[in-house]
Amino acid sequence: MPDLRYTAAAPAHTEVPRPKRGEGQWAFGFTEPLNKNEQSKKDDDPLNVRDRILYTYSKRGFDSIDPADLRGRFRWMGLYTQRAPGFDGGKTATVPEEELDDRYFMMRVRSDGRLLTPAAVRALGTIGRDYGRDTADVTDRENIQYHWIRIEDVPTIWGILDDAGLSSLEACGDSPRPFLGSPVAGVAADELIDGTPALEEIYRRYIGNPAFSNFPRKFKTALTGHPSHDVAPEVNDISFVGTVHPEHGPGFDLWVGGGLSTNPMLAQKLGVWIPLDEVADAWEGVASIFRDYGYRRLRSRARLKFLVADWGVEKFREVLEKEYLGRTLVSNPSPEQPVGHRDHIGVHEQQDGKKYIGIAPTVGRVSGSLLLQLAELMEEYAVAGARLTPYQKIVLIGVEPAVVEELIVRLDAIGLSARPSNWRRNTMACTGIEFCKLAIVDTKERARRLVAELERRFPELDTPITVNVNGCPNACARTQVADIGLKGQLVVADGEQVEGFQVHLGGALGLKANFGRKLRAHKVTSAGLDDYITSVVTNYLANREPQESFADWVARADEDLLRGEKTLEPADR
């Protein structure tokens, strides 16, 4: 039973749409657990598992862990068991969950748009080197993600994170997942408004707060005051996007109900102006609606996007204002959608005359040792700090102009390029079958090899083409909004099942936000991926109109050109 202190009663003076059948909405009195996840949360607040990890499991070892904690509540501490070795993609959906569990954990550390000092980067590197077999990945949720973590080491790791001002708390689970903040908040010369204080206040009020630790499912937050909309606001549950009111000045529009996975939806815009000091209140209102009215009966419909789609954005705003905020939001046209890069790669001006430098690991894969090397360079060149990006990149903040070129050379020497190729800059990949229990195919290594091959075949590409590689249908790497999105699955080749991908073409965020085009019954083997993408890119370069983007070309191109069944004569490239 939920704690009704935190649950709104069904409003008496605002008509809220009621479904024809009970969907597990607390505000309508449907409080009985309706699936095993809801039962687990009813049995014990997942936040309580922290103490059991500290004082029981870490001392008694893996075999002492309660299965309900291991496969449920541990997620609220940023911990998932990783995939046991020896299970191919065909076993992902058929082997019992407990058989796929390895005795090691993935740990996700949230950054929430924070500026990571050299000392914090050093701490993150130390954890990966000493406790994670030198793993560390930069994710597209601005996290650092480790593997091979032993339960016995978790208290020590948490101590290191605490000292660095970081945490894995609620990095997973049906909780406020790690926030996406602008990587250049407070420093970019073209920023509209710095939203850092709002993210800090949301974190202070709500992370670890039992009133907001039990949502129907994950709840993803993004906030940016940069005109490039550099936090993918279109595909988050709640996004605050910088805008300017003609009388009140800079503030934030509110977007709700975005998300990808198997039922992708773009966020709907409320068209409002929210001042900086009221952002946390608005976040609480939207989060409370999700908690109280979100669908808990079926996990497949438990995201906020389904509620927003059913209610409509006008009704959602009405309920938010009347039942949760107690005031009317200021209406203001939503800001125009931008075109172009959002990753901040390269050298850029800061407000204070210094520079910030965006650098690109390949598909987000770094290591503990590499983070330690980065920390050393940051200290040597007096870099103020680093931020992680939603594009698996790193931005160095506060670089003196006189040392920029020398620092870029040193960064390139350790594998962090500020001037990467198109393919290295614009390719992302999720964790994949190497560690993820949901994955069907390899992603990180396959994407790394793909980048190297495309760099060889198209060394001087004159237009950006994004490639997002995902190991399953869950779209952690935002498959549907890439120029070339690859969704991992098993495909049949020569009578045998092999690793392959369903292809999505022409997806985009920004001004022309849309989901990629799927070609009926079209799949590509992993082994044939290099040649397939080469064919499609060659066809685009040969067939495009002047200034035509890849996504625009896909929308009009003949299917045989998109399937790679026909390859045109290469154009000059």
Side-chain angles (χ1 to χ4, degrees):
M1 185 75 176
D3 189 332
L4 295 179
R5 291 177 300 168
Y6 305 133
T7 306
H13 56 285
T14 300
E15 183 180 349
V16 177
R18 295 182 70 106
K20 293 181 180 179
R21 63 178 298 181
E23 292 284 359
Q25 294 166 286
W26 285 358
F28 291 138
F30 296 107
T31 56
E32 288 301 312
L34 298 167
N35 57 56
K36 68 176 184 178
N37 303 85
E38 292 300 311
Q39 179 68 56
S40 177
K41 291 182 289 182
K42 176 187 176 183
D43 291 343
D44 186 42
D45 188 323
L47 296 177
N48 293 334
V49 79
R50 179 180 176 87
D51 282 349
R52 292 196 287 277
I53 291 172
L54 288 172
Y55 305 119
T56 302
Y57 301 144
S58 64
K59 299 183 184 305
R60 298 181 181 176
F62 185 89
D63 291 332
S64 70
I65 303 171
D66 184 320
D69 286 342
L70 182 68
R71 300 183 190 95
R73 303 181 193 102
F74 265 42
R75 298 175 185 181
W76 275 252
M77 299 300 118
L79 294 165
Y80 280 94
T81 49
Q82 66 188 42
R83 186 188 192 95
F87 291 98
D88 61 33
K91 302 292 197 305
T92 295
T94 60
V95 172
E97 186 176 13
E98 58 272 15
E99 291 188 32
L100 281 175
D101 287 331
D102 204 348
R103 298 172 68 85
Y104 299 92
F105 293 90
M106 177 209 81
M107 176 182 281
R108 191 173 287 160
V109 177
R110 53 193 303 157
S111 76
D112 301 302
R114 288 187 180 92
L115 185 67
L116 304 174
T117 64
V121 175
R122 182 176 297 280
L124 290 168
T126 298
I127 293 169
R129 182 194 64 188
D130 295 350
Y131 302 101
R133 300 190 186 181
D134 208 25
T135 57
D137 289 336
V138 179
T139 78
D140 59 11
R141 295 297 309 173
E142 298 183 2
N143 303 311
I144 291 290
Q145 191 161 285
Y146 302 110
H147 301 284
W148 301 109
I149 300 298
R150 301 188 319 138
I151 191 63
E152 293 87 349
D153 295 327
V154 169
T156 302
I157 294 170
W158 281 348
I160 296 170
L161 292 174
D162 287 344
D163 291 343
L166 296 169
S167 174
S168 67
L169 181 62
E170 294 185 295
C172 313
D174 299 344
S175 65
R177 294 290 185 95
F179 312 148
L180 295 181
S182 172
V184 296
V187 300
D190 54 348
E191 184 180 47
L192 298 177
I193 183 172
D194 178 7
T196 303
L199 281 182
E200 291 173 345
E201 182 64 10
I202 295 169
Y203 189 96
R204 185 189 69 80
R205 291 190 200 177
Y206 308 117
I207 301 304
N209 182 340
F212 296 91
S213 67
N214 183 357
F215 292 137
R217 280 198 74 182
K218 65 187 77 171
F219 186 67
K220 295 183 175 181
T221 300
L223 183 149
T224 183
H226 195 270
S228 68
H229 296 182
D230 50 5
V231 295
E234 301 93 339
V235 291
N236 281 266
D237 294 282
I238 179 171
S239 296
F240 295 92
V241 180
T243 189
V244 178
H245 189 279
E247 298 177 13
H248 304 304
F252 294 91
D253 192 12
L254 175 57
W255 301 4
V256 294
L260 295 175
S261 193
T262 54
N263 288 283
M265 300 183 194
L266 295 174
Q268 299 195 43
K269 305 170 186 178
L270 267 65
V272 296
W273 178 88
I274 300 174
L276 180 65
D277 60 358
E278 294 181 11
V279 166
D281 295 338
W283 186 96
E284 178 179 339
V286 174
S288 298
I289 291 175
F290 181 44
R291 177 194 62 206
D292 300 342
Y293 289 100
Y295 303 144
R296 294 174 183 264
R297 185 176 68 87
L298 298 175
R299 295 284 286 178
S300 60
R301 274 180 52 80
R303 292 294 298 276
L304 181 65
K305 61 187 178 183
F306 294 102
L307 187 70
V308 173
D310 288 348
W311 283 12
V313 71
E314 294 82 8
K315 176 58 69 174
F316 190 93
R317 176 176 174 176
E318 179 187 353
V319 174
L320 174 64
E321 292 175 334
K322 292 183 177 179
E323 303 305 328
Y324 289 88
L325 295 179
R327 60 182 180 275
T328 301
L329 296 169
V330 175
S331 293
N332 191 50
S334 295
E336 292 186 2
Q337 295 276 84
V339 177
H341 283 296
R342 299 174 161 189
D343 58 14
H344 302 294
I345 289 297
V347 181
H348 305 269
E349 296 287 339
Q350 291 189 181
Q351 299 168 6
D352 58 5
K354 295 183 179 181
K355 308 286 187 179
Y356 66 84
I357 305 175
I359 52 180
T362 302
V363 296
R365 177 132 287 178
V366 290
S367 66
S369 297
L370 182 56
L371 291 176
L372 288 170
Q373 291 177 288
L374 177 60
E376 290 174 3
L377 288 178
M378 291 171 66
E379 290 170 346
E380 181 179 346
Y381 289 91
V383 177
R387 285 198 180 106
L388 310 179
T389 87
Y391 296 89
Q392 299 180 339
K393 308 298 189 292
I394 303 171
V395 177
L396 302 183
I397 303 295
V399 182
E400 292 290 348
V403 305
V404 164
E405 291 303 320
E406 183 179 335
L407 177 56
I408 285 175
V409 171
R410 297 285 299 279
L411 289 165
D412 195 55
I414 65 171
L416 296 172
S417 176
R419 297 178 178 123
S421 70
N422 170 89
W423 305 109
R424 181 166 169 181
R425 177 174 186 170
N426 293 310
T427 300
M428 297 200 305
C430 73
T431 300
I433 201 170
E434 181 181 10
F435 297 115
C436 179
K437 292 182 295 182
L438 300 177
I440 302 168
V441 303
D442 173 60
T443 54
K444 286 289 189 185
E445 177 59 22
R446 185 65 190 90
R448 187 194 65 77
R449 288 187 282 113
L450 176 66
V451 167
E453 187 61 23
L454 292 176
E455 285 177 335
R456 186 182 71 80
R457 299 186 187 190
F458 300 94
E460 300 295 335
L461 193 68
D462 62 1
T463 186
I465 297 177
T466 59
V467 182
N468 293 14
V469 186
N470 217 80
C472 77
N474 288 328
C476 294
R478 301 199 287 269
T479 321
Q480 299 102 321
V481 292
D483 285 315
I484 302 173
L486 302 168
K487 183 179 78 176
Q489 58 184 223
L490 296 178
V491 303
V492 177
D494 298 326
E496 295 186 0
Q497 281 194 329
V498 298
E499 290 192 0
F501 300 93
Q502 182 185 60
V503 182
H504 301 245
L505 294 173
L509 296 177
L511 180 63
K512 297 183 179 180
N514 72 97
F515 301 125
R517 178 178 173 183
K518 290 186 290 186
L519 306 179
R520 188 168 59 85
H522 178 55
K523 300 174 180 62
V524 178
T525 66
S526 180
L529 187 58
D530 299 353
D531 290 341
Y532 168 71
I533 292 181
T534 296
S535 177
V536 173
V537 172
T538 298
N539 289 339
Y540 161 64
L541 295 175
N543 190 236
R544 63 181 171 174
E545 301 293 337
Q547 309 304 313
E548 186 175 32
S549 70
F550 183 85
D552 286 343
W553 173 76
V554 165
R556 68 167 180 82
D558 293 338
E559 280 207 7
D560 59 349
L561 299 181
L562 300 180
R563 290 177 179 272
E565 296 168 351
K566 174 182 178 182
T567 303
L568 301 175
E569 286 298 316
D572 291 338
R573 32 176 213 241

